[in-house]
Amino acid sequence: RIQELETRGQLFQREKSRALEELRALLQEEKAQALSHLRKELEQKRAQERNQMGMRVQLVKVDQRLLQAEQRKTSFWESGDQAHTERTDCSREVASVCQQLQALLPKQANIPSLSRMLHGSSAFLSSSHALQALQEVSEETRRYLQDLKQEIESLKH
C-alpha cells in the first residue's frame, strides 16, 4: 500500500512537472506574441510620425517659398518697376507652390481654382487667382492634417 502511494506520488509529481513545463512554454509563447505585436504597433506609430514629420517639413519649405514670393511681391509694389512681369512671376511662384502642396495631398483633394489657373493662359495668371488657389490648398492641407491627427489618435487607443 505504501509503495502504491509512493508510485502514485511520483506519477503525480511527473505530471505536475510536465504541466508546469507546458504552462511555461505557453506563457513564453504568449509573451513573445505580445512583444511582437507591441513592436509592430510601435513601428507603425513611428512610421506615421515620420510621415507626418515629412509632411510638416514639406509644409515649412512651401511656407518659406510663399514668404519669399510675398517678399518679392512687396518689393515689387514698392519699386513699381516691371509691374506686369513681377506680378505674373509671383503668381506663377504661388501656383507652383500650390501644385507642390496639392501633390502631397491625397488624390481626392480637388482645388478648382488651381486647375483653372494651371490650364489657363499665363497671360491671365492674376494675383487674385493665385491667392484663391493658395487659400483652397491651405484649407485642403488643414483638413488632411486634421484627418492624420485623428487617425494617429485612434491608433493610440
Side-chain angles (χ1 to χ4, degrees):
R1 175 87 178 142
I2 292 177
Q3 189 174 4
E4 183 182 327
L5 288 174
E6 285 177 354
T7 305
R8 282 188 186 173
Q10 290 170 352
L11 181 63
F12 175 72
Q13 192 64 27
R14 283 191 297 262
E15 286 179 19
K16 178 180 166 186
S17 294
R18 192 176 323 123
L20 283 174
E21 283 303 313
E22 288 176 12
L23 183 60
R24 279 189 195 111
L26 183 62
L27 288 174
Q28 279 295 98
E29 185 179 330
E30 286 179 6
K31 177 182 169 185
Q33 288 175 350
L35 284 173
S36 175
H37 180 71
L38 286 174
R39 283 186 187 112
K40 286 178 185 175
E41 280 184 17
L42 184 59
E43 185 56 37
Q44 286 175 344
K45 187 185 289 187
R46 285 179 182 159
Q48 284 182 331
E49 288 173 356
R50 281 191 301 268
N51 288 340
Q52 191 176 22
M53 191 58 65
M55 176 70 82
R56 286 182 182 154
V57 167
Q58 289 297 322
L59 290 174
V60 167
K61 288 178 181 179
V62 167
D63 284 345
Q64 181 183 15
R65 288 187 63 196
L66 287 173
L67 286 172
Q68 290 169 345
E70 186 64 32
Q71 185 179 24
R72 284 193 295 275
K73 179 181 171 186
T74 302
S75 297
F76 158 75
W77 289 113
E78 290 172 358
S79 71
D81 294 337
Q82 303 171 345
H84 180 69
T85 304
E86 288 285 330
R87 198 170 339 158
T88 302
D89 288 347
C90 183
S91 295
R92 281 192 187 116
E93 179 74 21
V94 170
S96 172
V97 168
C98 288
Q99 263 186 306
Q100 289 176 358
L101 266 176
Q102 187 179 26
L104 294 172
L105 295 173
K107 296 296 179 202
Q108 70 263 20
N110 182 24
I111 300 147
S113 63
L114 181 59
S115 297
R116 283 191 307 272
M117 194 167 77
L118 294 174
H119 297 304
S121 168
S122 62
F124 298 105
L125 202 58
S126 72
S127 297
S128 61
H129 289 115
L131 290 175
Q132 182 182 358
L134 180 59
Q135 288 172 336
E136 290 175 16
V137 169
S138 294
E139 187 58 37
E140 283 295 327
T141 303
R142 273 194 282 290
R143 282 189 210 120
Y144 180 64
L145 288 175
Q146 185 63 32
D147 290 345
L148 282 177
K149 286 179 186 176
Q150 289 175 348
E151 185 177 328
I152 288 172
E153 286 300 317
S154 71
L155 289 172
K156 287 181 182 177
H157 300 293

